[in-house]
Coordinates of all heavy atoms in Angstrom, one line a residue:
E276 N 33.8 57.7 70.0 CA 35.2 57.6 69.7 C 36.0 58.3 70.8 O 37.2 58.0 71.0 CB 35.6 58.2 68.4 CG 35.0 57.5 67.2 CD 33.6 58.1 66.8 OE1 33.0 58.7 67.7 OE2 33.2 57.9 65.7
H277 N 35.4 59.2 71.6 CA 36.1 59.9 72.6 C 36.0 59.2 74.0 O 36.7 59.6 74.9 CB 35.5 61.3 72.8 CG 35.6 62.2 71.6 ND1 36.8 62.8 71.2 CD2 34.7 62.6 70.7 CE1 36.6 63.5 70.1 NE2 35.3 63.4 69.8
V278 N 35.2 58.1 74.1 CA 35.0 57.5 75.4 C 36.2 56.8 75.9 O 36.5 56.8 77.1 CB 33.8 56.6 75.3 CG1 33.6 55.8 76.5 CG2 32.5 57.4 75.0
G279 N 36.8 56.0 75.0 CA 38.0 55.2 75.4 C 37.6 53.8 75.9 O 36.5 53.5 76.4
A280 N 38.5 52.8 75.6 CA 38.2 51.4 75.9 C 37.9 51.2 77.3 O 37.0 50.4 77.7 CB 39.4 50.6 75.4
A281 N 38.7 51.8 78.2 CA 38.5 51.6 79.7 C 37.2 52.1 80.2 O 36.7 51.6 81.2 CB 39.6 52.3 80.4
R282 N 36.5 53.0 79.5 CA 35.3 53.6 79.9 C 34.1 53.1 79.1 O 32.9 53.6 79.4 CB 35.4 55.1 79.8 CG 36.4 55.8 80.8 CD 35.9 55.8 82.2 NE 36.8 56.6 83.0 CZ 36.6 56.9 84.3 NH1 35.5 56.3 84.9 NH2 37.4 57.6 85.0
Y283 N 34.3 52.3 78.1 CA 33.2 52.1 77.2 C 32.0 51.3 77.8 O 30.9 51.6 77.5 CB 33.7 51.3 75.9 CG 32.8 51.5 74.7 CD1 33.0 52.6 73.9 CD2 31.6 50.7 74.6 CE1 32.2 52.8 72.8 CE2 30.8 51.0 73.5 CZ 31.0 52.0 72.6 OH 30.2 52.3 71.6
L284 N 32.3 50.3 78.6 CA 31.2 49.6 79.3 C 30.4 50.6 80.2 O 29.2 50.5 80.3 CB 31.7 48.4 80.1 CG 30.7 47.6 80.8 CD1 29.7 47.0 79.8 CD2 31.4 46.4 81.5
E285 N 31.1 51.5 80.9 CA 30.4 52.5 81.7 C 29.5 53.4 80.8 O 28.4 53.6 81.2 CB 31.5 53.3 82.4 CG 30.9 54.5 83.2 CD 31.9 55.4 83.7 OE1 33.1 55.2 83.6 OE2 31.5 56.5 84.4
Y286 N 30.1 53.8 79.7 CA 29.3 54.6 78.7 C 28.0 53.8 78.3 O 26.9 54.4 78.3 CB 30.2 54.9 77.5 CG 29.5 55.2 76.2 CD1 29.0 56.5 76.0 CD2 29.3 54.3 75.2 CE1 28.4 56.8 74.7 CE2 28.7 54.6 74.0 CZ 28.3 55.8 73.8 OH 27.7 56.1 72.6
A287 N 28.2 52.6 77.9 CA 27.0 51.8 77.4 C 26.0 51.6 78.5 O 24.8 51.6 78.3 CB 27.5 50.5 76.8
S288 N 26.5 51.3 79.7 CA 25.6 51.1 80.9 C 24.9 52.3 81.3 O 23.7 52.3 81.6 CB 26.5 50.5 82.1 OG 27.1 49.3 81.7
D289 N 25.5 53.5 81.2 CA 24.9 54.7 81.5 C 23.7 55.0 80.6 O 22.6 55.4 81.0 CB 25.9 55.9 81.5 CG 26.8 55.9 82.8 OD1 26.5 55.1 83.7 OD2 27.8 56.7 82.8
L290 N 24.0 54.8 79.3 CA 22.9 55.0 78.3 C 21.8 54.0 78.4 O 20.6 54.4 78.3 CB 23.5 55.0 76.9 CG 24.6 56.0 76.5 CD1 24.9 56.0 75.0 CD2 24.3 57.4 77.0
H291 N 22.1 52.8 78.7 CA 21.1 51.8 79.0 C 20.2 52.2 80.1 O 19.0 52.1 80.0 CB 21.8 50.4 79.2 CG 20.8 49.3 79.3 ND1 20.3 48.9 80.6 CD2 20.3 48.4 78.4 CE1 19.5 47.9 80.3 NE2 19.5 47.6 79.1
A292 N 20.8 52.7 81.2 CA 20.0 53.1 82.3 C 19.1 54.3 82.0 O 18.1 54.5 82.7 CB 21.0 53.5 83.5
L293 N 19.5 55.1 81.1 CA 18.7 56.3 80.8 C 17.6 56.1 79.8 O 16.7 57.0 79.6 CB 19.6 57.4 80.1 CG 20.6 58.1 81.1 CD1 21.6 58.9 80.3 CD2 19.8 59.0 82.0
L294 N 17.5 54.9 79.3 CA 16.4 54.5 78.4 C 15.2 53.9 79.1 O 15.5 53.1 80.1 CB 16.9 53.6 77.3 CG 17.6 54.2 76.1 CD1 18.2 53.1 75.2 CD2 16.6 55.1 75.3
K295 N 14.0 54.1 78.6 CA 12.9 53.4 79.2 C 12.9 52.0 78.5 O 13.5 51.7 77.5 CB 11.6 54.1 78.8 CG 11.2 54.0 77.3 CD 9.8 54.6 77.1 CE 9.4 54.3 75.7 NZ 8.0 54.9 75.4
P296 N 12.2 51.0 79.1 CA 12.1 49.7 78.5 C 11.6 49.8 77.1 O 10.6 50.5 76.9 CB 11.2 48.9 79.4 CG 11.4 49.5 80.8 CD 11.6 51.0 80.5
G297 N 12.2 49.1 76.1 CA 11.8 49.2 74.7 C 12.4 50.4 74.0 O 12.3 50.5 72.8
G298 N 13.2 51.3 74.7 CA 13.8 52.4 74.1 C 15.0 52.0 73.2 O 15.6 50.9 73.4
R299 N 15.3 52.8 72.3 CA 16.3 52.5 71.3 C 17.5 53.4 71.4 O 17.4 54.6 71.7 CB 15.8 52.6 69.9 CG 14.6 51.7 69.6 CD 14.2 51.8 68.1 NE 13.0 51.0 67.9 CZ 12.4 50.8 66.7 NH1 13.0 51.4 65.6 NH2 11.3 50.1 66.5
L300 N 18.7 52.9 71.1 CA 20.0 53.6 71.0 C 20.5 53.5 69.6 O 20.6 52.4 69.0 CB 21.0 53.1 72.0 CG 22.5 53.5 71.7 CD1 22.6 55.0 72.1 CD2 23.4 52.7 72.6
L301 N 20.9 54.6 69.0 CA 21.6 54.6 67.7 C 23.0 55.1 68.0 O 23.2 56.3 68.3 CB 20.9 55.5 66.6 CG 21.3 55.3 65.2 CD1 22.7 55.9 64.9 CD2 21.3 53.9 64.7
N302 N 23.9 54.2 67.9 CA 25.3 54.5 68.1 C 26.1 54.6 66.8 O 26.3 53.5 66.1 CB 25.9 53.4 69.0 CG 27.3 53.8 69.5 OD1 27.5 54.6 70.5 ND2 28.4 53.2 69.0
H303 N 26.4 55.8 66.4 CA 27.1 56.0 65.1 C 28.6 56.2 65.4 O 29.0 57.3 66.0 CB 26.5 57.2 64.4 CG 27.1 57.7 63.1 ND1 26.4 57.6 61.9 CD2 28.3 58.2 62.8 CE1 27.1 58.1 61.0 NE2 28.3 58.5 61.5
Q304 N 29.5 55.3 65.0 CA 30.9 55.3 65.5 C 31.9 54.8 64.5 O 31.7 53.8 63.8 CB 30.9 54.4 66.8 CG 32.2 54.4 67.5 CD 32.2 53.5 68.7 OE1 31.1 53.2 69.3 NE2 33.3 53.0 69.2
I305 N 33.0 55.5 64.5 CA 34.1 55.1 63.6 C 34.7 53.8 64.3 O 34.9 53.8 65.5 CB 35.2 56.2 63.5 CG1 34.6 57.4 62.8 CG2 36.4 55.7 62.7 CD1 35.5 58.6 62.8
G306 N 35.1 52.9 63.5 CA 35.7 51.7 64.0 C 37.0 51.4 63.2 O 37.2 51.8 62.1
R307 N 37.9 50.6 63.8 CA 39.1 50.2 63.1 C 39.1 48.7 62.8 O 38.2 47.9 63.3 CB 40.3 50.5 63.9 CG 40.4 49.8 65.3 CD 41.6 50.1 66.0 NE 41.6 49.6 67.4 CZ 41.8 48.4 67.8 NH1 42.1 47.4 66.9 NH2 41.7 48.0 69.1
R308 N 40.0 48.2 62.0 CA 40.2 46.8 61.8 C 40.7 46.1 63.0 O 41.6 46.7 63.7 CB 41.1 46.5 60.6 CG 40.7 47.2 59.3 CD 39.4 46.6 58.8 NE 39.6 45.2 58.5 CZ 38.6 44.4 58.2 NH1 37.3 44.8 58.1 NH2 38.8 43.1 57.9
P309 N 40.3 44.9 63.3 CA 40.8 44.2 64.5 C 42.3 43.8 64.2 O 42.7 43.6 63.1 CB 39.9 43.0 64.7 CG 39.4 42.8 63.3 CD 39.2 44.1 62.7
Q310 N 43.1 43.7 65.3 CA 44.4 43.3 65.2 C 44.6 41.8 65.8 O 43.8 41.4 66.7 CB 45.4 44.2 66.0 CG 45.4 45.6 65.5 CD 46.4 46.5 66.2 OE1 47.0 46.1 67.2 NE2 46.6 47.7 65.7
R311 N 45.5 41.1 65.3 CA 45.8 39.8 65.8 C 46.1 39.8 67.3 O 45.7 39.0 68.1 CB 46.9 39.1 65.0 CG 46.4 38.5 63.7 CD 47.6 37.9 63.0 NE 48.5 38.9 62.4 CZ 49.5 38.6 61.6 NH1 49.8 37.3 61.3 NH2 50.2 39.6 61.1
D312 N 46.8 40.9 67.7 CA 47.1 41.1 69.1 C 46.6 42.4 69.5 O 47.2 43.5 69.3 CB 48.7 41.0 69.4 CG 49.0 41.3 70.8 OD1 48.1 41.3 71.7 OD2 50.2 41.5 71.1
E313 N 45.4 42.4 70.1 CA 44.7 43.6 70.4 C 45.4 44.5 71.5 O 45.3 45.7 71.5 CB 43.3 43.4 70.9 CG 42.3 43.2 69.8 CD 42.0 44.4 69.0 OE1 41.9 45.5 69.6 OE2 42.1 44.3 67.7
S314 N 46.3 43.8 72.3 CA 47.0 44.5 73.3 C 48.1 45.4 72.7 O 48.6 46.3 73.3 CB 47.7 43.6 74.3 OG 48.7 42.8 73.6
A315 N 48.4 45.2 71.4 CA 49.4 46.0 70.7 C 48.8 47.2 70.0 O 49.6 48.0 69.5 CB 50.1 45.1 69.6
Y316 N 47.5 47.4 70.1 CA 46.9 48.6 69.5 C 47.4 49.9 70.2 O 47.5 50.0 71.4 CB 45.4 48.6 69.7 CG 44.7 49.9 69.3 CD1 44.7 50.3 68.0 CD2 44.1 50.6 70.3 CE1 44.1 51.5 67.7 CE2 43.4 51.8 70.0 CZ 43.4 52.3 68.7 OH 42.8 53.5 68.4
R317 N 47.8 50.8 69.3 CA 48.3 52.1 69.8 C 47.5 53.2 69.0 O 47.3 53.1 67.8 CB 49.8 52.3 69.6 CG 50.6 51.3 70.4 CD 50.6 51.6 71.9 NE 51.4 50.7 72.6 CZ 51.0 49.6 73.1 NH1 49.8 49.2 72.9 NH2 51.8 48.8 73.8
V318 N 47.2 54.3 69.7 CA 46.5 55.4 69.0 C 47.4 56.0 68.0 O 48.6 56.2 68.3 CB 46.0 56.4 70.1 CG1 45.4 57.6 69.4 CG2 45.0 55.7 71.1
D319 N 46.9 56.4 66.9 CA 47.7 57.1 65.9 C 48.3 58.3 66.5 O 47.6 59.2 67.0 CB 46.7 57.5 64.7 CG 47.4 58.1 63.6 OD1 47.7 59.3 63.7 OD2 47.6 57.5 62.6
E320 N 49.6 58.5 66.3 CA 50.4 59.6 66.9 C 49.9 60.9 66.5 O 49.8 61.9 67.3 CB 51.9 59.4 66.7 CG 52.5 58.3 67.5 CD 54.1 58.4 67.3 OE1 54.5 58.2 66.1 OE2 54.8 58.5 68.3

Side-chain angles (χ1 to χ4, degrees):
E276 298 89 340
H277 297 286
V278 171
R282 296 282 190 180
Y283 203 91
L284 182 58
E285 176 188 357
Y286 157 83
S288 299
D289 285 350
L290 299 191
H291 186 269
L293 285 167
L294 278 172
K295 72 174 188 179
R299 299 185 187 183
L300 165 70
L301 191 288
N302 190 78
H303 177 115
Q304 181 178 342
I305 297 171
R307 60 175 171 84
R308 302 294 298 170
Q310 297 185 355
R311 280 178 287 185
D312 177 10
E313 277 294 314
S314 66
Y316 167 68
R317 297 292 180 271
V318 176
D319 181 282
E320 285 188 301

